[in-house]
Amino acid sequence: MTDADQVRTSVVEVALGKLDLDTKARLLAGQDMWSLPAIPEIGLQSLVMSDGPIGVRGVRWTADDPSIALPSPTALAAAWDPELARRAGRLLAQEARRKGVHVLLAPTVNLHRSPLGGRHFECYSEDPYLTGAVGSGYVNGVQDGGVGTTVKHFVGNEAETDRFTVDSVIAPRPLRELYLAPFEAIVANAHPWGIMTAYNQVNGTTMTEHRYLVNEVLRGEWGFDGYNVSDWMAARSTTGDIEGGLDVAMPGPTTVYGPALAEAVRAGEVSESLVDDAVRNVLRLAARVGALEGAPAVVETAPAPVDGQALARELAARGFVLVRNETAPGGRAALPLDASAGRTVALSGAAARDARVLGGGSATVFPERIVSPLDGLTAALPEGALTFTVGADPSDELVPADKGFELRAVCRDASGAVVGEGSLPTGQVQWIGDDLPAGATYETMASIEVTGTFLPRESGEHAFGTRGLGAFSLAVDGRTLWEGVQEMGNEADPFEAFFGAPSERARVIVTEGEPVEVSLTYQVPDVSALPLKAIMFSLLHLGPRSDADELIAEAVAAARTADTAVVVVATTERVESEGFDRQDLTLPGRQDDLVRAVAAVNPNTVVVVNAGSPVELPWREDVAAVLLTWFPGQEGGAALADVLLGDAEPGGRLPTTWPARFADAPVTEVVPTEGRLEYREGLFIGYRAYEKHGVAPAFPFGHGLGYTDWAYESLEATADTVRVRLTNTGTRPGREVVQVYLAPVDDTVERPASWLAAFAGVTAGPGETVEAVIDLPARAFEIWDQEASDWQRIGGAYEVRASHSHGDTRLTATLDIA
């Protein structure tokens, strides 16, 4: 313990001793959606939390205070570079400090157990070692900046279906070796200041009440000394939660803690020492972030400022994974593009114009700008070199009003007087707790009008609609087009049951470039009885519906005469989002048809896949190149231009296996049976399962092509270290990720045939030879012994594989372990 640690500990104990029971219980309950109460008498500031996997939104669902939007966590993991993740964390700490946020509710380190997991874009990988390494980098970076992290969701939250109640049934070995492993690694290597416990149960016990996993494993075995916060509204039992090791129940002010906890202590149902333990953990967090008077913050001088736009652009390119890059008869690969004078590019796909830069749900932020693929390539290519056609739209559903809309929300009382107003980033009102425009309160608001202008990008018949439960009035161009009430229906999707299904209300013919007034007025219901007050509804829009065959024909005509065709395909928020799992892995709409049609007329077709997690690519062998860009963040279009034109190398390697077909995926079950989701596959998820079942994926774990070639020349292995010499044999500088897998020769226990043990990135110029020195963790040779409830080292002969990917071993050596 350092001197500063001792001072913080002393200040925490003194502060704790000054608090009465009611104040302690109130501190653990939260005061609103995002913060804990201040206690001035002990010099405690209000601790503020914010969602933060890819950007720091702050405490308001608004664009008034924009946020840097980094690429999705899958993209960050695809870089296979913990130090890069650390740099991303430092930028997010900078953003948090700017917004007055003390703690980020991130990173998400659940595993990609099944490709159907709807929130996998927010998680890192299917592999626990890679996830732990990248997550450690992220946590170290955020905390380098003096801001706390909250590693989530502890544990067993690998799917979204029935996530509030599902019982994840996981045997001890896979629980330890797979699902707990990233959390354990991050606790050991990054010392996080917070953990968030999940909604779900594990083996019959709700995670917020899981004494064994929280108190015995997380705190006891691993030595975690941070605060433990519930996922929002996950805490259900006053006594169960405090005895299960839950420190903070969010959001406040009405939770199972507060007065209910104080009363439980007075009734003799709970020991006050448990309350003191929880308060001590919260005060320790406050001391670390500089929010407790007299206690020195862990970081008193912030790191050097980071250029957010530049880093977002670099991160995107580093995470792009080039999975296919064929060489034409002339000897030139499809990528990077030949940008010589007179060369032309035909760009198609609605996602090229309206890029999806982040996933849906609580990770949403509102960046100051978004660079689409169309924007990026327009800026990078000579005038006249680029054409654009829509080709195919991934969605024909109404979505919250966005492109071309400038909107505000005006709140009025029963007399019609304005009581508050503020800007809206889209037509979506999502106000929870105290996240209301200045002056507005739930008690005084009688109506909310979403009002502003719409500047159409194209002429034709535009559809307008609503989403939400309650009474609405919709007007366009000064005319009331619909008035009515949306009632709760029988929707199977829980999100739709709660928020209402998207509903078309009117169609209006408008002219490109001519602004029209729009207005949606919502009658505010009585929310006084709700445990968490909230107002959620949306103004929806959909542009003119063009004939799908005609759109594809236009793209084909443009591609036929171009030197290169670039097609951008994408998922939508109705496919990948928090709150629900996927039904399949197909691209929505007619996007597959578009790719096939363009590839049929242009052999130099490059497909850019804008998706946060795997999708089927049935045409992958019919195109010249396939580039996976994930959800690339606000600078994604600029990074795409950098990579396509060769100014940057696509630096990514797959953090998860991409199946050829959904039917080939070994693990697909995400829907519980009678409330139980059984992890029957045990240790065999991801590449471990593909190898066990002898199934060849479309693209293996760890796969990714750069713009140069590498020769692996020598491999030396000991029980502690692997040394690999390799030479850049190409004509460009590049970065290679050397992946080390272990494969037992004659295994004496049930294990996967091989697994990732370690990795390292190296860079070299053309012709340069470098050596990767890679430490082998002792855990790579261990299994969890269920009988002994401890780790057991498994001796014997191992094949050590130095690989370019799980499916591409370059060198091997045999190692005997005692």
Side-chain angles (χ1 to χ4, degrees):
M1 182 180 287
T2 66
D3 290 344
D5 288 330
Q6 291 177 337
V7 172
R8 282 190 288 270
T9 297
S10 176
V11 171
V12 164
E13 292 303 320
V14 170
L16 176 61
K18 295 179 179 178
L19 299 179
D20 61 29
L21 174 61
D22 292 302
T23 303
K24 289 186 288 191
R26 178 168 58 89
L27 176 61
L28 304 181
Q31 69 175 351
D32 55 27
M33 186 66 179
W34 301 113
S35 67
L36 303 184
I39 305 178
E41 56 265 36
I42 61 169
L44 177 66
Q45 301 173 32
S46 174
L47 284 167
V48 179
M49 310 172 210
S50 171
D51 287 316
I54 59 108
V56 185
R57 189 174 61 248
V59 300
R60 300 283 309 282
W61 192 269
T62 175
D64 289 344
D65 184 11
S67 308
I68 294 288
L70 300 180
S72 62
T74 42
L76 188 61
W80 288 60
D81 188 342
E83 192 55 38
L84 187 67
R86 189 167 193 157
R87 290 174 56 205
R90 286 178 179 152
L91 170 60
L92 295 178
Q94 175 179 293
E95 284 278 279
R97 293 173 79 110
R98 179 175 67 82
K99 294 194 173 201
V101 168
H102 300 104
V103 184
L104 292 189
L105 303 173
T108 304
V109 298
N110 302 108
L111 298 185
H112 296 174
R113 171 179 170 263
S114 162
L116 293 182
R119 202 175 181 179
H120 280 352
F121 61 86
E122 195 182 314
C123 309
Y124 290 126
S125 166
E126 69 187 25
D127 182 78
Y129 180 80
L130 176 61
T131 296
V134 176
S136 294
Y138 178 100
V139 169
N140 278 320
V142 173
Q143 295 182 176
D144 284 347
V147 173
T149 55
T150 312
V151 188
K152 62 185 186 182
H153 307 87
F154 188 76
V155 61
N157 179 198
E158 277 71 37
E160 293 294 279
T161 304
D162 295 347
R163 63 176 173 155
F164 299 100
T165 58
V166 64
D167 182 8
S168 299
V169 182
I170 314 172
R173 272 195 68 192
L175 181 60
R176 288 282 189 159
E177 295 180 27
L178 295 179
Y179 303 104
L180 286 171
F183 293 94
E184 182 182 11
I186 293 169
V187 169
N189 299 322
H191 195 61
W193 299 344
I195 292 281
M196 180 188 290
T197 43
Y199 292 116
N200 54 277
Q201 303 173 53
V202 170
N203 299 329
T205 302
T206 299
M207 275 310 305
T208 57
E209 304 172 33
H210 214 303
R211 271 184 277 187
Y212 170 66
L213 289 179
V214 173
N215 288 338
E216 296 184 33
V217 176
L218 175 64
R219 293 198 185 279
E221 291 181 27
W222 302 349
F224 172 71
D225 68 351
Y227 89 120
N228 173 19
V229 62
S230 71
D231 205 340
W232 265 223
M233 302 187 75
R236 301 174 179 91
S237 166
T238 300
T239 57
D241 287 330
I242 196 70
E243 290 177 352
L246 182 73
D247 298 325
V248 174
M250 288 294 288
T254 304
T255 78
V256 298
Y257 286 172
L261 180 57
E263 179 58 31
V265 173
R266 292 190 175 103
E269 298 167 359
V270 170
S271 168
E272 189 168 355
S273 65
L274 295 179
V275 178
D276 288 345
D277 288 342
V279 171
R280 186 177 287 110
N281 292 331
V282 173
L283 294 178
R284 186 182 300 116
L285 170 67
R288 285 169 168 165
V289 300
L292 182 61
E293 188 176 310
V298 171
V299 178
E300 298 190 277
T301 302
V306 180
D307 183 329
Q309 287 187 3
L311 182 56
R313 186 170 181 167
E314 179 187 351
L315 286 169
R318 289 285 306 277
F320 288 174
V321 183
L322 183 60
V323 294
R324 179 177 173 85
N325 193 21
E326 292 301 289
T327 301
R332 179 181 175 83
L335 292 180
L337 298 178
D338 180 355
S340 55
R343 305 289 291 182
T344 57
V345 175
L347 178 66
S348 62
R353 180 185 63 189
D354 301 325
R356 188 172 180 205
V357 301
L358 46 82
S362 61
T364 300
V365 296
F366 305 105
E368 187 173 28
R369 72 173 201 165
I370 290 175
V371 183
S372 70
L374 178 57
D375 295 332
L377 287 170
T378 298
L381 291 170
E383 187 174 353
L386 181 70
T387 62
F388 171 71
T389 55
V390 171
D393 198 318
S395 175
D396 60 359
E397 296 183 336
L398 287 89
V399 297
D402 183 6
K403 306 298 182 184
F405 287 85
E406 293 287 340
L407 300 171
R408 294 186 65 76
V410 180
C411 307
R412 294 185 173 87
D413 63 17
S415 72
V418 174
V419 294
E421 59 182 305
S423 66
L424 286 178
T426 69
Q428 183 176 11
V429 171
Q430 185 163 312
W431 298 338
I432 305 174
D434 293 336
D435 181 10
L436 296 172
T441 67
Y442 292 102
E443 292 73 24
T444 58
M445 282 189 299
S447 68
I448 301 168
E449 182 186 15
V450 175
T451 181
T453 59
F454 170 48
L455 187 66
R457 296 188 298 185
E458 50 193 325
S459 300
E461 189 177 56
H462 291 243
F464 293 84
T466 63
R467 184 176 194 177
L469 304 178
F472 295 93
S473 176
L474 172 67
V476 178
D477 205 17
R479 295 183 297 122
T480 299
L481 301 178
W482 180 78
E483 289 184 309
V485 177
Q486 174 68 52
E487 304 281 2
M488 182 175 289
N490 297 318
E491 292 84 359
D493 186 315
F495 263 43
E496 290 194 351
F498 186 74
F499 298 118
S503 301
E504 182 178 316
R505 303 303 186 187
R507 297 189 184 187
V508 182
I509 295 176
V510 297
T511 304
E512 177 185 352
E514 294 186 6
V516 294
E517 295 179 357
V518 294
S519 171
L520 177 66
T521 302
Y522 175 71
Q523 302 303 315
V524 178
D526 181 3
V527 298
S528 58
L530 296 178
L532 178 63
K533 295 179 177 62
I535 295 176
M536 298 184 182
F537 69 93
S538 300
L539 169 65
L540 306 179
H541 170 258
L542 178 65
R545 295 170 171 85
S546 302
D547 181 84
D549 290 330
E550 290 181 6
L551 291 178
I552 291 174
E554 291 172 1
V556 167
R560 181 178 280 113
T561 58
D563 294 300
T564 301
V566 177
V567 185
V568 181
V569 297
T571 59
T572 71
E573 196 162 318
R574 299 278 283 173
V575 174
E576 290 184 88
S577 176
E578 179 181 350
F580 54 86
D581 291 310
R582 300 160 74 183
Q583 302 300 311
D584 54 44
L585 302 184
T586 58
L587 287 167
R590 295 281 302 279
Q591 295 181 101
D592 286 334
D593 293 339
L594 171 64
V595 173
R596 290 188 181 99
V598 169
V601 300
N602 193 320
N604 199 28
T605 294
V606 176
V607 182
V608 175
V609 183
N610 180 193
S613 48
V615 293
E616 290 182 358
L617 308 176
W619 31 258
R620 63 189 178 279
E621 295 182 0
D622 301 325
V623 299
V626 179
L627 181 69
L628 312 181
T629 63
W630 314 104
F631 297 144
Q634 67 175 61
E635 303 299 317
L640 180 64
D642 291 340
V643 167
L644 292 183
L645 298 176
D647 295 328
E649 181 180 42
R653 305 293 185 266
L654 286 180
T656 198
T657 306
W658 278 50
R661 302 174 306 152
F662 169 59
D664 294 339
V667 182
T668 59
E669 187 179 25
V670 293
V671 178
T673 301
E674 297 182 350
R676 290 162 57 92
L677 182 60
E678 301 201 27
Y679 288 39
R680 294 186 182 89
E681 68 285 345
L683 299 170
F684 298 94
I685 65 170
Y687 63 86
R688 296 166 168 84
Y690 283 88
E691 189 168 27
K692 177 182 180 180
H693 296 291
V695 176
F699 305 111
F701 176 79
H703 174 62
L705 308 172
Y707 286 159
T708 190
D709 297 310
W710 296 86
Y712 283 58
E713 296 175 347
S714 67
L715 165 64
E716 298 176 10
T718 70
D720 302 312
T721 308
V722 172
R723 295 176 178 271
V724 181
R725 286 177 60 84
L726 59 166
T727 298
N728 179 348
T729 60
T731 59
R732 295 170 52 105
R735 178 176 184 268
E736 174 71 337
V737 178
V738 180
Q739 302 164 37
V740 177
Y741 296 88
L742 294 180
V745 176
D746 291 306
D747 215 349
T748 58
V749 295
E750 183 189 29
R751 280 188 290 183
S754 63
W755 57 89
L756 180 70
F759 66 89
V762 295
T763 58
E768 185 179 353
T769 298
V770 291
E771 183 177 65
V773 181
I774 308 169
D775 293 333
L776 280 182
R779 182 61 54 80
F781 299 99
E782 296 176 344
I783 68 165
W784 180 254
D785 186 328
Q786 297 180 181
E787 297 297 323
S789 293
D790 202 355
W791 293 97
Q792 177 188 355
R793 187 174 177 88
I794 305 299
Y798 289 82
E799 184 178 76
V800 180
R801 300 172 179 172
S803 303
H804 175 74
S805 73
H806 184 257
D808 184 0
T809 297
R810 300 293 177 89
L811 295 171
T812 63
T814 300
L815 183 64
D816 287 312
I817 297 296

